Amino acid sequence: MTVWVVLGHRLKPRNKMTRALARRLHHFAFKPHDRVMVCGGNACGGACTHSEAYVMRAYLVHARGIPPDRILLENRSMTTVQNLVRMARVCRAHRITRVTVITSDWHMPRVRAIWRTLRPSGVAARFSASRDTAKSWRAREERRKLRAWRRGGW
């Protein structure tokens, strides 16, 4: 059994997914015995009525045909650090010891650096990056955040 963990991405107003988030949700090949965990709270604020996890779950059920009982929600995290900390808690609660974390290619270096720093006990992770043609400002912002994390976080 594979447990796929899809990290969220800030929603557009009225609960609309970004292209980056849609690519993450299509990056894995779901098999009937697999599980999916979707991670992300409502970072959009008042312009959104649902969490990223809720919107991802609805998409996976309706667009990809994944049974709702195969999807776990982590819908409280607001940052990448919180995504990984809370994801590890959900894994331990469900006795999940191995996961494959999915995020965008421009986000992956920071995700790996944070994971190595956190080292959540009892959960081993592999990483898989979805291709996303990030704007140059997005790549610069991620490099800035990674440097800040390496200097001691934020």
Side-chain angles (χ1 to χ4, degrees):
M1 169 179 75
T2 301
V3 178
W4 304 98
V5 176
V6 183
L7 300 185
H9 187 266
R10 184 182 305 258
L11 298 172
K12 295 178 187 178
R14 296 196 316 247
N15 307 310
K16 301 292 183 196
M17 289 193 309
T18 61
R19 186 173 61 227
L21 185 53
R23 286 186 176 159
R24 293 176 191 183
L25 293 172
H26 282 276
H27 184 68
F28 61 94
F30 185 82
K31 295 180 182 74
H33 56 280
D34 290 350
R35 296 191 83 175
V36 181
M37 184 186 314
V38 289
C39 300
N42 183 354
C44 179
C48 294
T49 56
H50 298 298
S51 68
E52 295 164 13
Y54 178 89
V55 171
M56 288 190 282
R57 179 183 177 276
Y59 183 84
L60 290 173
V61 168
H62 298 291
R64 297 234 10 222
I66 296 176
D69 65 331
R70 305 305 297 165
I71 303 172
L72 298 170
L73 264 71
E74 183 293 295
N75 59 1
R76 300 190 65 185
S77 59
M78 302 295 277
T79 67
T80 302
V81 174
Q82 290 175 4
N83 276 159
L84 297 173
V85 168
R86 291 192 168 124
M87 176 268 293
R89 285 184 194 151
V90 172
C91 285
R92 285 191 292 274
H94 289 271
R95 293 187 168 92
I96 297 168
T97 58
R98 301 182 68 80
V99 297
T100 299
V101 178
I102 298 171
T103 192
S104 300
D105 50 4
W106 47 264
H107 191 221
M108 188 58 74
R110 189 159 56 102
V111 169
R112 285 182 177 202
I114 293 168
W115 185 263
R116 281 192 303 268
T117 302
L118 295 174
R119 295 190 191 279
S121 63
V123 182
R126 293 181 354 181
F127 300 90
S128 185
S130 64
R131 282 243 175 261
D132 189 29
T133 53
K135 306 267 190 259
S136 59
W137 67 268
R138 169 71 71 193
R140 280 194 305 273
E141 179 68 9
E142 281 300 309
R143 286 192 297 270
R144 184 192 66 74
K145 288 179 178 179
L146 179 57
R147 283 192 303 273
W149 175 258
R150 287 182 174 152
R151 281 195 307 267
W154 50 88

